[in-house]
Amino acid sequence: MRVVVAEDSALLRDGLVHLLTRRGHRVLAAVPDADALLAAVAADPPEIAVVDIRLPPTRTHEGLMAAMTLRREHPEVAVLLLSQYVETRYARHLLSGPCEGVGYLLKDRVADVSDFIDALSRVAAGGTVLDPEVVSQLMGASRRAGPLETLTTREREVLELMAQGRSNGAIAAGLVLSQASVEKHISAIFGKLGLPPSGTDHRRVLAVLRYLESQE
Amino acid sequence: MRDRDRGVVTRRAVLRAWFGPPALGAVLYGAISLPLGVLDLGCVCLVLPVTAVPAVRSRLRPPGSACPGAPLTDGLSALATGHRWLAARLLGAWVTAPPAPARPLTIRPARPPDTRPPGPLAWARLARAADPAAPWRTVLYLLLKLPLAVVMFWVWAPCWAWAAVLISFPAWWRALPPWLDSDLWRQPHRGPLRLGALPLDVWPNCLLVTAAGVLLLLAAPWVNRVVLVDGLLVRALLGRSEKDRLRESRALAVDGSTAALRRIERDLHDGAQAQLVALAMKLGMAREELTAGARDEALTLIEAAHGDAKQALVELRDLARGIHPAALDDGLALALETLAARSAIPVELRVDLPERPAPAIETIAYFGAAELLANAAKHSGARRVTLTVRPVGPNRLCLAAADDGTGGARTDGGGLAGLIDRVRTVEGRVFVDSPAGGPTVVRVELPVRP
């Protein structure tokens, strides 16, 4: 896979490049700020860009803005955003545009190398990936709402994994269930929450997220 | 640098007070005080009652405003600003304006604007709702200005007048008719003018009178300094009150602590957190290499991770010291010794504190000393610094840093301004004496117990 990395901390930037190279991916450019990122992507478009949300000069959300620009101008480039903290509004902002090939992860996930590479592949393939921390915050916030309480524990687990962008197979593997029972749970969830059944994984994520936010 | 109302005084301002513009300023101020006093009294006696008339007031009020009489307080504060400006320019008394009156806080839901004409009690309500004292202190000053100007006039005007009269004596004494004599000297006419046994209406002797006139002329600017009393009144009535000062120092303290917390968050995020993420990443990769059997790559990664962990420890230790140095728990003297030992240039330290100050004061003194030493090392090119802490008077201590560098320290930005703000939160003062090229001496006075 061809990757561009945008991260202002030199230590982390080198670490990411090292990690990606060891796994056989090709790092086209490793840049320290948003302008350099846009220039690098324009010069030689990668398959996916790994972007820190906090970039110079103000270190607030330049990375997020650059990611939105990238989604507009280079829709074929997937974007995986990394953040030190969970900010649900950043996730919301990111998913407000077209969300095939979009991901939002905590930097802590980088420590689990295989999971990180897996998430990277999923996003590059056009899926949507959300950090479990973001999802659990959203679900925790909407626990006060009524309809979510009608879900069984199993169904809530399936919902969480679905919101993270996992496919049915991955959910089945993660919860040690058969794929058929996962599909049954999913249709039950959609029924109880009143959501229309949706086809692709990332549309599912969107639907679930929108539902969860509306319950906040 | 001017002697501003900031608690920062320089040696040059003191020198300049004895010569030059202040004398001329005092003369000018005295000259315009009288007409100004009449104008002020006119404002208070005529304009204020007029604006109390409901019809006028409802027409003056901007449409939709909830605060009756707002143009009135604006007018008062404009007058106050004018007087403060005059006192600053002519008397050198720089007085900071009190903070603008805050809008009355409405906790209840806002009512529709009050369209009834305000009654007589609206005055009292206005005074209570806004900063209670400011408009009334201004009115008091305006009322007092005329009597004070009259009193001062009778002190300085005769001085100038008599100086003019005496100096020009040789020119006109001959024109004095005999009976005017006795009126002037309040004695029965005794013939030609005389000073005791010395006749004054003789050519060389009348120069004595001229000499007396010249002496009086030389003394006149000093007598004119009596208008500085007006400057004191401006400071007392048109400047910030004790409550304003306390409010401001509280705001400084809160802002300072917020800024400090933000700095800590940024240092943690960019430093220790980044290091720990890199560390975790390397260990994760090392584990994979080991399970795949690549020992050497795993070893390289583990060594790099070890380095990251040690670096993170250093950053965390520095951060902790920046928040609260552990040495301060054992006293300011010990903490300053550690600081002096770590300084880039040799520091001669003399600490003489009979009792331990309050912990907050020790912290401010420690970080102040750290700032001063850092400035001396970074900017002044000094070769040695002397740091002393000693008591001055009851309940006050003085931290002084003197270096032999190039001077030119600036108090308007950077670390020194931060130090001044921190010191002001406990009602301390900072004195900076840093002429360009010369040695720098900074003295910080702090209360022992805030």
Side-chain angles (χ1 to χ4, degrees):
Chain A
M1 244 190 330
R2 299 198 323 275
V3 186
V4 165
V5 173
E7 164 65 60
D8 64 330
S9 155
L11 189 62
L12 283 176
R13 194 169 58 234
D14 294 339
L16 278 170
V17 170
H18 189 197
L19 187 152
L20 291 166
T21 325
R22 283 206 72 74
R23 285 309 194 98
H25 303 295
R26 202 152 64 93
V27 177
L28 299 177
V31 298
D33 60 69
D35 296 330
L37 169 69
L38 294 171
V41 170
D44 187 7
E47 289 168 47
I48 180 167
V50 177
V51 183
D52 183 1
I53 285 192
R54 272 206 206 187
L55 287 177
T58 67
R59 291 209 166 91
T60 45
H61 50 258
E62 280 82 352
L64 183 63
M65 295 297 122
M68 305 301 288
T69 314
L70 277 182
R71 298 300 295 150
R72 267 199 320 274
E73 296 177 4
H74 302 270
E76 73 283 1
V77 176
V79 175
L80 176 61
L81 277 174
L82 294 179
S83 170
Q84 199 82 273
Y85 312 112
V86 172
E87 287 276 359
T88 46
R89 65 193 161 103
Y90 289 161
R92 225 170 285 164
H93 201 103
L94 190 63
L95 295 169
S96 61
C99 44
E100 293 105 355
V102 154
Y104 180 87
L105 284 185
L106 281 185
K107 278 191 193 168
D108 301 359
R109 306 289 158 233
V110 177
D112 289 318
V113 181
S114 305
D115 286 352
F116 176 64
I117 299 290
D118 177 54
L120 199 72
S121 316
R122 271 191 287 145
V123 172
T128 313
V129 168
L130 279 185
D131 193 280
E133 196 55 43
V134 177
V135 173
S136 70
Q137 270 200 14
L138 281 174
M139 297 217 23
S142 36
R143 206 156 292 167
R144 294 184 286 276
L148 272 188
E149 294 184 350
T150 62
L151 298 177
T152 66
T153 323
R154 212 33 141 176
E155 283 167 356
R156 206 172 284 141
E157 287 170 0
V158 170
L159 180 66
E160 274 196 44
L161 288 177
M162 212 165 49
Q164 288 173 24
R166 310 268 175 182
S167 67
N168 288 4
I171 298 178
L175 295 177
V176 194
L177 291 173
S178 72
Q179 199 142 341
S181 44
V182 166
E183 281 162 16
K184 214 161 37 123
H185 281 306
I186 287 178
S187 47
I189 291 170
F190 274 67
K192 281 186 191 172
L193 299 183
L195 294 172
S198 30
T200 48
D201 289 349
H202 72 264
R203 283 229 177 88
R204 234 167 36 176
V205 173
L206 254 184
V208 169
L209 268 184
R210 290 226 179 89
Y211 174 79
L212 288 175
E213 283 160 27
S214 67
Q215 301 297 313
E216 259 180 46
Chain B
M1 288 218 246
R2 293 193 202 275
D3 175 19
R4 286 184 190 267
D5 190 25
R6 250 186 113 205
V8 178
V9 176
T10 63
R11 188 176 60 184
R12 288 182 181 168
V14 172
L15 281 171
R16 205 176 288 164
W18 287 85
F19 309 103
L24 180 64
V27 171
L28 267 175
Y29 195 86
I32 60 173
S33 273
L34 213 47
L36 258 189
V38 173
L39 185 67
D40 289 340
L41 195 64
C43 280
V44 171
C45 294
L46 296 176
V47 174
L48 258 55
V50 165
T51 54
V53 171
V56 178
R57 199 132 44 123
S58 63
R59 225 172 329 174
L60 280 181
R61 197 180 351 148
S65 85
C67 188
L72 183 62
T73 43
D74 288 345
L76 280 177
S77 60
L79 275 174
T81 310
H83 280 289
R84 272 195 298 269
W85 182 85
L86 277 176
R89 290 279 157 205
L90 296 180
L91 297 182
W94 292 84
V95 177
T96 325
R103 292 207 172 281
L105 207 59
T106 41
I107 300 178
R108 288 190 288 283
R111 282 188 289 242
D114 195 356
T115 48
R116 293 169 300 148
L121 284 183
W123 266 88
R125 257 186 276 130
L126 165 71
R128 256 206 325 273
D131 179 26
W136 298 113
R137 284 161 69 210
T138 309
V139 168
L140 185 62
Y141 177 80
L142 295 176
L143 287 174
L144 284 180
K145 185 144 172 80
L146 182 61
L148 189 63
V150 167
V151 166
M152 292 192 307
F153 180 79
W154 279 110
V155 172
W156 62 260
C159 194
W160 290 101
W162 274 109
V165 162
L166 293 180
I167 287 179
S168 60
F169 185 65
W172 54 263
W173 69 268
R174 279 174 238 269
L176 277 180
W179 61 267
L180 206 50
D181 259 299
S182 58
D183 276 355
L184 273 176
W185 298 104
R186 302 217 187 283
Q187 284 163 5
H189 179 58
R190 237 191 254 161
L193 288 173
R194 52 183 71 244
L195 180 69
L198 202 63
L200 286 175
D201 44 357
V202 173
W203 170 241
N205 291 359
C206 62
L207 288 179
L208 278 177
V209 179
T210 310
V214 169
L215 280 178
L216 203 57
L217 187 67
L218 283 177
W222 293 104
V223 175
N224 221 316
R225 293 296 192 88
V226 74
V227 298
L228 289 177
V229 170
D230 200 328
L232 287 179
L233 202 65
V234 168
R235 192 178 293 255
L237 288 180
L238 298 182
R240 291 174 305 167
S241 66
E242 190 61 36
K243 214 193 307 188
D244 292 330
R245 246 192 294 268
L246 282 175
R247 237 182 251 148
E248 192 179 314
S249 82
R250 184 179 62 195
L252 274 176
V254 167
D255 286 343
S257 65
T258 312
L261 286 175
R262 206 171 294 140
R263 250 195 327 268
I264 292 173
E265 189 270 337
R266 208 178 48 225
D267 286 343
L268 273 176
H269 177 272
D270 296 340
Q273 270 182 307
Q275 242 120 31
L276 286 175
V277 172
L279 170 64
M281 198 156 57
K282 290 189 176 100
L283 283 179
M285 289 199 286
R287 182 176 62 185
E288 296 206 348
E289 301 288 352
L290 269 181
T291 48
R295 252 192 94 240
D296 292 333
E297 283 91 346
L299 204 57
T300 323
L301 284 166
I302 291 178
E303 274 177 26
H306 194 201
D308 285 343
K310 287 194 281 191
Q311 186 62 24
L313 278 176
V314 168
E315 300 233 357
L316 283 174
R317 189 167 50 233
D318 282 344
L319 187 62
R321 192 167 39 214
I323 298 172
H324 176 83
L328 263 186
D329 292 336
D330 294 328
L332 186 60
L334 191 61
L336 286 180
E337 269 177 37
T338 321
L339 197 63
R342 276 188 19 238
S343 159
I345 40 180
V347 175
E348 188 190 318
L349 181 67
R350 282 198 291 270
V351 177
D352 167 30
L353 282 178
E355 50 162 339
R356 262 188 86 166
I361 302 295
E362 282 186 330
T363 310
I364 295 180
Y366 175 85
F367 285 113
E371 180 69 44
L372 294 173
L373 286 181
N375 277 2
K378 261 192 305 195
H379 300 304
S380 74
R383 275 179 321 217
R384 41 188 306 248
V385 180
T386 312
L387 196 62
T388 54
V389 182
R390 56 188 171 81
V392 286
N395 198 40
R396 263 181 121 74
L397 65 89
C398 173
L399 162 79
D403 70 50
D404 57 358
T406 54
R410 298 178 44 200
T411 60
D412 49 356
L416 212 47
L419 168 64
I420 294 175
D421 284 343
R422 272 198 304 275
V423 167
R424 281 172 70 199
T425 62
V426 289
E427 316 269 320
R429 295 197 298 170
V430 177
F431 299 84
V432 176
D433 178 15
S434 182
T440 304
V441 178
V442 178
R443 285 179 27 235
V444 177
E445 269 188 26
L446 295 166
V448 171
R449 317 232 154 263

